[in-house]
Amino acid sequence: MSIVPPAGGFIGPVKRSVTIAGHATSISLEPIFWRALENAAHVRSLPLNALIAQVDALRIRTDDPPNLASALRSWVVSLANFESNSQ
C-alpha cells in the first residue's frame, strides 16, 4: 500500500495570534492543524481562542508541560484517533 501527501501538499507552519486569558500570544502550526482546531471549535460551538485556552489549561496542569503548539498538535491527533476508533 502506498501513501499520498496531505490534501494541499506539505505546507510549513503558519503563525497566528490568539488571545488566552486576556494575553496575546502567537502560535505556529501547519495549516492542517489550524483547520482541525477550527473544526473542533465549530463542533463545540466555541470561538477558536476559547478552545485553545482549554487545551492550554490542560497543558499547564501536566508535570512537564510541552510548548503550546506541541500540546495543540497532540490534542488534535488524539482527537482524530479517538474519533476514528469510536466509529
Side-chain angles (χ1 to χ4, degrees):
M1 178 191 286
S2 64
I3 64 169
V4 298
F10 294 104
I11 302 171
V14 174
K15 187 176 284 195
R16 291 169 85 177
S17 293
V18 297
T19 302
I20 302 171
H23 294 55
T25 189
S26 62
I27 304 169
S28 294
L29 294 172
E30 295 74 11
I32 196 166
F33 286 105
W34 284 120
R35 285 190 301 272
L37 287 168
E38 290 164 350
N39 184 56
H42 175 76
V43 166
R44 290 163 177 74
S45 300
L46 290 171
L48 181 59
N49 286 353
L51 177 69
I52 291 172
Q54 288 183 10
V55 173
D56 187 46
L58 294 171
R59 172 188 75 91
I60 61 176
R61 289 185 204 147
T62 63
D63 291 334
D64 186 21
N67 68 49
L68 181 55
S70 293
L72 291 167
R73 286 185 191 97
S74 297
W75 185 82
V76 165
V77 170
S78 69
L79 177 65
N81 286 337
F82 173 79
E83 289 174 352
S84 70
N85 289 334
S86 65
Q87 293 177 355

